[in-house]
Amino acid sequence: MSTIARRVDIRVSAEQAFEYMAHITTLPEYHAGISDLRLLDDKDRGQGLIFACKVDVPRRGLLDCEFEITDFIDYILMTIKSTSGPKSEGTWHFARMAGMNVKTRITYTLTYQVPVPIIGGLIDALFIRRTMSQRVEQTLLNLKTKLEE
């Protein structure tokens, strides 16, 4: 398994950031490589929510994948885990920042596995990790731009 963690400071409250992101249908608006999201149950937020989407997987192209929100603590944390497709887990932490201005630090930790036995780590190091790191950074930049509009 490989892990990439990045953070961004956004000039909105943790509540505003979390409420926007908690409605999972907004995910393709800011998450690089995610498109065509559809809910697979009656929920539109919260733990246990299941959804499907297309994921642009490096070196494999667009794949249909399913995900579930496995952890959900209002204004603090949300974790999304793959249930079909390549193995991955993304966790979002929301931290209020002290100071005169309203600001939130969002940390996005993406853990993923290259599904190739024995040489998966080598393939990750040579071809995948850089793309995934750029995707995490682009996602946070997109989120910052969207929330600070």
Side-chain angles (χ1 to χ4, degrees), residues 5 12-13 16 22-23 45-46 51 60 73 84 97 113 136-137:
V12 299
S13 69
Q16 287 173 289
H23 292 280
R45 73 187 302 262
F51 65 96
R60 294 185 66 196
I73 303 170
S84 75
M97 297 181 66
Q113 183 174 13
V136 167
E137 291 167 9

Side-chain angles (χ1 to χ4, degrees), residues 1-6 89 108-112 124 129:
M1 297 287 279
S2 295
T3 300
I4 298 167
R6 300 286 187 273
E89 179 177 289
Y108 180 27
T109 304
L110 176 65
T111 303
Y112 64 94
D124 183 43
R129 186 166 184 75

Side-chain angles (χ1 to χ4, degrees), residues 47-95:
Q47 189 167 347
L49 180 143
I50 300 168
F51 65 96
C53 61
K54 293 197 181 297
V55 178
D56 186 4
V57 178
R59 301 280 185 193
R60 294 185 66 196
L62 279 179
L63 297 180
D64 290 314
C65 300
E66 292 184 8
F67 296 86
E68 179 179 0
I69 296 178
T70 57
D71 295 306
F72 190 88
I73 303 170
D74 279 333
Y75 316 124
I76 296 172
L77 171 106
M78 181 170 61
T79 299
I80 302 169
K81 189 173 186 177
S82 64
T83 57
S84 75
K87 190 173 183 178
S88 67
E89 179 177 289
T91 300
W92 302 86
H93 290 271
F94 301 79

Side-chain angles (χ1 to χ4, degrees), residues 110-124:
L110 176 65
T111 303
Y112 64 94
Q113 183 174 13
V114 176
V116 178
I118 303 171
I119 61 168
L122 179 61
I123 291 171
D124 183 43

